[in-house]
Amino acid sequence: MEKREPQNDRNQGCNPLFIWYIIKKILDHVWGIFPCDSEKIGWKEGVVLEIQVDLECSGVSAEDVASRRSEAWDALSEIWSGKLDFTGWAAYPGKEGESEIEEVLSAAEKIRKTCDVFLVLGVGGSFMGAKAVIDLLGDRTSGTEVLFAGYNFSARYLREIFRKIEGKDLGLCVVSKSGSTTETLSAYGIFREYMLEKYGAEEAAGRTYFVTEHRHNYLFDLAEKEGSKVFDLAENIGGRYSVLTPVGLLPIAVSGIDIRNLMRGAEEIADPECFKGNGLDYAITRQKLREAGKGIEVFEFFDPYAAYFGEWLKQLFGESEGKDGKGIFPASLMFSRDLHSMGQFLQQGAPEFFETFLLAGETGEPLRIPDSAKKPFAGKTMQQLNACAEKGVYDAHVAAGTPVIRISVPEWNEETVGQLLYFFETECAVSAMLSGVNPFGQPGVEAYKKEMRGYIEKL
Ligand code: PA5
């Protein structure tokens, strides 16, 4: 990041930063003068952190970012101090996590042997992380299928789930920190009856797993009474920071993904040392952009399997930062699909947003387009075309004056995704704290729950 150019005007149009970027590109193309400007974050000895953060065209100067590094560091230190509520996630990987991982793995093994479908009921932080990781890394061709419900009130959706589980052996996982969320508990009421009818009380209890706080709440008490397995969601970890606890790990393990490698990735980066120097520059840059009037961040992916990662990011940032009028509205787009619907808007639609690409090199055999296809793409691979799309969008949007950040890993795998999940949790919490809001509460969500309950009780 130190190689970036000084601060420039953030307005749309031909500002010097973007002109310089184009000149650099030409010089690089002709003489190979300028190497990649991305910086790896983290320098923990003996550990390779795979995340690259490229802020070259973010429009925020290196000096401006550096000026807030000590403030960002203080925020991180506060998170790690243990004095703040709901910061248990920070030190969780590698410490409190180990014994629970054993338990999760043995439950997952049993579930994989006895269930064709594992149905996870939960909403918000109680399901999004698991779905994001399974969509991204899951093997969709074999094993126990993991389905999700309890995150909407659609009767049609639930009927469709019933259609999918017909004739199949089912395991149920009810995830709710509070043990009182309406979406989750109403769906559980329906599937509990189904399980009792299909398996009888004892087997139904053995096929049902709960993830909730270990204290009196509706789910915890019921699980104790019926003898179902309960995984603890620690009191000091909030829903949207819980993907690397049994909340996410149990469904992820059931899907066949190696949670040890996922946790190894998280553990590698779960150390304040990794965020020293430039490690919190993404968080600082976001806040600088917000202060400059860029109140919308669009996360952009070039892989359709990352769609739910976008949803997870939206919840993480939206619920953590969206308070006191200081939020950055998180949106997500899938390319190249959305270039044909939102590309126009991104180029010329509004000056309030910045873009954050989330990139990973594609693995697997190159998929070659036959020579008989139309030129110029005949003979090229789909992977090559995707890389060209990414470079082309970056150049075009930078040239149009939009701040663009690129965050990349060499490929999606358990380790890099573990690192990314933890990276975003940290950057999000620090970013919120830099704006002066508490990342860990969600008073707005609680208010809607209360209002809705009032209407339901009157029915
Ligand atoms: O991040 C959060 O805290 C929320 O999104 C919760 O995960 C969501 O509201 C579900 O709550 P619960 O797990 O208590 O059912």
Side-chain angles (χ1 to χ4, degrees):
M1 272 172 293
E2 281 69 21
K3 296 178 202 128
R4 284 173 307 154
E5 290 309 293
Q7 168 105 51
N8 287 285
D9 176 25
R10 295 291 81 237
N11 293 330
Q12 301 266 337
C14 290
N15 72 45
L17 176 72
F18 301 117
I19 294 171
W20 170 237
Y21 170 74
I22 301 298
I23 295 169
K24 245 172 86 171
K25 256 194 87 71
I26 295 165
L27 293 176
D28 189 26
H29 186 71
V30 179
W31 291 295
I33 287 179
F34 295 100
C36 174
D37 275 296
S38 300
E39 297 269 330
K40 274 205 176 179
I41 73 129
W43 297 273
K44 196 168 146 189
E45 208 161 320
V47 169
V48 182
L49 293 180
E50 297 289 7
I51 303 168
Q52 299 250 7
V53 180
D54 176 1
L55 299 168
E56 188 195 11
C57 286
S58 68
V60 180
S61 74
E63 289 79 1
D64 264 4
V65 171
S67 74
R68 292 195 76 179
R69 279 184 182 162
S70 87
E71 201 187 328
W73 181 254
D74 289 348
L76 186 69
S77 307
E78 215 182 329
I79 291 169
W80 276 83
S81 73
K83 289 182 196 144
L84 274 186
D85 285 345
F86 296 112
T87 50
W89 56 271
Y92 187 88
K95 290 191 184 144
E96 293 138 77
E98 188 47 38
S99 60
E100 255 163 352
I101 286 177
E102 281 299 329
E103 271 188 71
V104 167
L105 283 171
S106 88
E109 201 186 320
K110 181 177 159 206
I111 294 161
R112 281 169 71 78
K113 277 190 191 139
T114 53
C115 304
D116 304 311
V117 174
F118 190 54
L119 178 60
V120 181
L121 308 178
V123 66
S126 289
F127 92 104
M128 276 199 184
K131 179 146 174 65
V133 175
I134 293 171
D135 281 6
L136 202 51
L137 300 176
D139 172 5
R140 279 159 282 271
T141 58
S142 66
T144 301
E145 188 181 7
V146 181
L147 298 177
F148 293 88
Y151 63 90
N152 57 52
F153 292 114
S154 165
R156 182 177 167 195
Y157 183 87
L158 292 183
R159 285 202 190 96
E160 182 60 18
I161 296 275
F162 275 117
R163 196 190 59 73
K164 284 186 181 160
I165 63 179
E166 204 182 324
K168 295 188 175 162
D169 267 321
L170 184 67
L172 201 57
C173 182
V174 192
V175 189
S176 176
K177 183 176 170 67
S178 61
S180 64
T181 301
T182 311
E183 287 88 337
T184 312
L185 293 194
S186 53
Y188 174 51
I190 292 170
F191 287 103
R192 181 165 180 265
E193 277 301 311
Y194 174 86
M195 295 286 277
L196 287 171
E197 260 174 47
K198 183 164 171 148
Y199 297 110
E202 198 180 329
E203 191 177 345
R207 286 176 172 274
T208 305
Y209 298 78
F210 294 90
V211 188
T212 186
E213 276 186 356
H214 266 220
R215 64 170 166 188
H216 288 301
N217 68 45
Y218 173 79
L219 283 186
F220 184 73
D221 295 345
L222 193 73
E224 291 268 279
K225 193 169 132 221
E226 298 191 346
S228 291
K229 170 83 186 150
V230 187
F231 286 95
D232 183 21
L233 175 48
E235 206 182 323
N236 63 348
I237 300 181
R240 61 190 169 276
Y241 290 85
S242 68
V243 54
L244 296 167
T245 74
V247 169
L249 295 178
L250 181 60
I252 293 169
V254 171
S255 80
I257 293 166
D258 185 339
I259 60 166
R260 281 203 182 283
N261 282 343
L262 189 80
M263 288 308 276
R264 183 178 314 126
E267 199 182 328
E268 283 160 353
I269 192 175
D271 180 341
E273 291 295 303
C274 291
F275 293 88
K276 266 198 171 150
N278 68 355
L280 297 167
D281 285 2
Y282 168 59
I284 299 169
T285 302
R286 297 177 76 253
Q287 287 304 322
K288 284 278 170 195
L289 287 166
R290 181 182 69 82
E291 286 158 17
K294 306 284 182 188
I296 302 170
E297 178 173 27
V298 189
F299 293 104
E300 292 164 3
F301 301 87
F302 291 77
D303 177 348
Y305 295 107
Y308 248 88
F309 203 93
E311 296 304 314
W312 178 76
L313 285 171
K314 277 160 36 181
Q315 191 211 350
L316 180 68
F317 282 95
E319 265 190 354
S320 299
E321 292 188 315
K323 293 154 203 166
D324 304 338
K326 290 177 176 170
I328 297 171
F329 184 86
S332 68
L333 292 174
M334 189 54 60
F335 293 160
S336 69
R337 182 194 67 191
D338 295 339
L339 291 169
H340 296 263
S341 56
M342 296 300 289
Q344 168 61 36
F345 192 98
L346 290 171
Q347 288 277 53
Q348 297 169 349
E352 292 92 1
F353 64 85
F354 61 99
E355 299 175 50
T356 300
F357 287 17
L358 194 46
L359 305 167
E362 270 205 55
T363 49
E365 279 292 292
L367 182 58
R368 193 172 174 279
I369 302 158
D371 293 331
S372 57
K374 191 175 181 319
K375 283 196 167 61
F377 36 82
K380 313 285 176 356
T381 68
M382 293 305 282
Q383 285 89 337
Q384 287 173 320
L385 298 197
N386 210 12
C388 291
E390 187 253 296
K391 287 189 211 149
V393 176
Y394 185 72
D395 288 355
H397 292 191
V398 165
T402 306
V404 185
I405 294 168
R406 284 190 291 201
I407 297 175
S408 56
V409 288
E411 62 175 46
W412 304 128
N413 61 40
E414 282 90 349
E415 213 165 322
T416 59
V417 170
Q419 290 187 3
L420 278 174
L421 292 167
Y422 192 92
F423 168 81
F424 279 112
E425 287 177 350
T426 298
E427 300 291 327
C428 174
V430 169
S431 173
M433 288 164 82
L434 286 174
S435 77
V437 304
N438 171 9
F440 307 115
Q442 55 280 332
V445 182
E446 300 311 323
Y448 118 80
K449 286 183 183 173
K450 194 166 155 245
E451 295 297 329
M452 180 178 69
R453 276 279 173 129
Y455 284 110
I456 293 173
E457 271 154 24
K458 280 189 214 137
L459 286 175

